[in-house]
Amino acid sequence: MKVLVLGGTGGVGKLVVSDLLSRRIEVKVLVRSPDKLADLKATYKDQLDIIPGTALDVGQSTLATYLQDCEFAVSCLGHTLSWSGVYGAPRLLCFDTVRLVCQAAETNRKKLKLIILSSAGCDNPNGSETPRGWGEWTVLELLKLLVPPHKDNVMASRYLGQDIGEHNEFVSWVAVRPDDFLEGEKSDYVLHEKLANGLFNAGKSTKANIAHFFGDLVEKPEIWKAW
């Protein structure tokens, strides 16, 4: 099994790469700064293929080539928490990348399993969520207007839910929506099909647990089938 990881040097992304490698899964990482994975490359050598660049840099055709021998694609992309990271280009990093991955899968005419790191601020596009309260809905709408990364996450999840859907010929997908991204060791955790907490009483998720669940989705067919 082989996995292409996008955003593999961030706070969650590098842990995902490390978790997959520890399970003896071959990993390709498309990354802007390969040196940030030097420690993992030294340990796992031929099991880890580091490709300089981003999906937006290489485009659909080259991305399709990278995906040709991969069963999974994993996107842990996010925006850097700085002025340029939040308000600079590319403002639709997650959405544009997810769309490129899906288009590349269609180019390959081969089923691809896609996992994206989303957020608890994104509703399930199928309308199954319990409606949010007026205050929470207002805050999220303001965030979409004022904070581009939130709009980016919402657009990515809506694209998968509405444009790709649940029965696409070439892409099946899971969006993981943690309440928070805390430091800490892997521990027992509970999964919920729907959002379990509101914006104002958010639960706690460690980056290590998020990475472990990504690894389970890739390695264990019964976990993938359940979600």
Side-chain angles (χ1 to χ4, degrees), residues 154-166:
V154 171
M155 288 180 64
S157 62
R158 284 183 179 173
Y159 172 77
L160 289 175
Q162 297 175 357
D163 292 80
I164 299 302
E166 298 181 5

Side-chain angles (χ1 to χ4, degrees), residues 195-227:
L195 294 173
N197 300 288
L199 192 65
F200 304 127
N201 64 330
K204 297 180 179 180
S205 305
T206 65
K207 297 174 185 177
N209 283 348
I210 297 166
H212 181 266
F213 180 52
F214 272 62
D216 276 355
L217 282 169
V218 171
E219 183 184 39
K220 300 178 179 179
E222 68 276 14
I223 300 293
W224 177 263
K225 184 177 180 180
W227 292 99

Side-chain angles (χ1 to χ4, degrees), residues 21 30 32 52 59 66 81 108 133 150 160 175 187-188 199 223 226-227:
L21 291 169
L30 185 59
R32 192 182 297 277
Y66 295 153
L81 294 180
N108 286 338
H150 178 61
L160 289 175
S187 60
D188 293 337
L199 192 65
I223 300 293
W227 292 99

Side-chain angles (χ1 to χ4, degrees), residues 5 52 73-74 79 102-104 117 121 149 155 175 217:
V5 177
V74 172
H79 295 258
C102 293
Q103 291 170 345
L117 182 62
M155 288 180 64
L217 282 169

Side-chain angles (χ1 to χ4, degrees), residues 11 15 181-185 205-208:
L15 292 177
F181 298 85
L182 302 176
E183 302 296 336
E185 299 299 318
S205 305
T206 65
K207 297 174 185 177

Side-chain angles (χ1 to χ4, degrees), residues 32-87:
R32 192 182 297 277
S33 303
D35 56 297
K36 293 183 178 180
L37 295 174
D39 54 336
L40 292 179
K41 183 65 174 176
T43 301
Y44 291 97
K45 299 180 175 62
D46 293 342
Q47 192 183 335
L48 175 61
D49 184 9
I50 302 174
I51 306 169
T54 70
L56 303 186
D57 292 336
V58 304
Q60 178 185 332
S61 177
T62 300
L63 186 61
T65 301
Y66 295 153
L67 286 168
Q68 187 64 52
D69 59 348
C70 293
E71 183 178 345
F72 282 86
V74 172
S75 175
C76 297
L77 290 168
H79 295 258
T80 304
L81 294 180
S82 65
W83 182 266
S84 60
V86 172
Y87 293 102

Side-chain angles (χ1 to χ4, degrees), residues 1-14:
M1 181 188 299
K2 191 172 291 188
V3 181
L4 176 67
V5 177
L6 307 160
T9 58
V12 174
K14 188 170 182 179

Side-chain angles (χ1 to χ4, degrees), residues 56-205:
L56 303 186
D57 292 336
V58 304
Q60 178 185 332
S61 177
T62 300
L63 186 61
T65 301
Y66 295 153
L67 286 168
Q68 187 64 52
D69 59 348
C70 293
E71 183 178 345
F72 282 86
V74 172
S75 175
C76 297
L77 290 168
H79 295 258
T80 304
L81 294 180
S82 65
W83 182 266
S84 60
V86 172
Y87 293 102
R91 285 198 171 191
L92 299 180
L93 170 67
C94 302
F95 167 68
D96 285 339
T97 299
V98 165
R99 184 171 57 178
L100 273 175
V101 169
C102 293
Q103 291 170 345
E106 184 175 355
T107 296
N108 286 338
R109 313 298 292 177
K110 174 186 172 186
K111 192 75 170 188
L112 179 72
K113 297 173 183 174
L114 171 63
I115 308 168
I116 71 164
L117 182 62
S118 186
S119 80
C122 298
D123 290 337
N124 192 323
N126 69 10
S128 63
E129 307 284 10
T130 301
R132 298 179 188 264
W134 181 87
E136 188 169 327
W137 179 86
T138 300
V139 169
L140 290 172
E141 288 301 305
L142 286 172
L143 286 175
K144 277 194 291 186
L145 289 172
L146 301 175
V147 184
H150 178 61
K151 178 181 179 181
D152 188 16
N153 278 329
V154 171
M155 288 180 64
S157 62
R158 284 183 179 173
Y159 172 77
L160 289 175
Q162 297 175 357
D163 292 80
I164 299 302
E166 298 181 5
H167 306 289
N168 189 275
E169 183 179 359
F170 302 112
V171 179
S172 55
W173 57 274
V174 172
V176 180
R177 301 178 292 168
D179 272 323
D180 213 334
F181 298 85
L182 302 176
E183 302 296 336
E185 299 299 318
K186 183 172 72 68
S187 60
D188 293 337
Y189 55 89
V190 178
L191 302 171
H192 301 274
E193 182 178 356
K194 300 180 181 180
L195 294 173
N197 300 288
L199 192 65
F200 304 127
N201 64 330
K204 297 180 179 180
S205 305

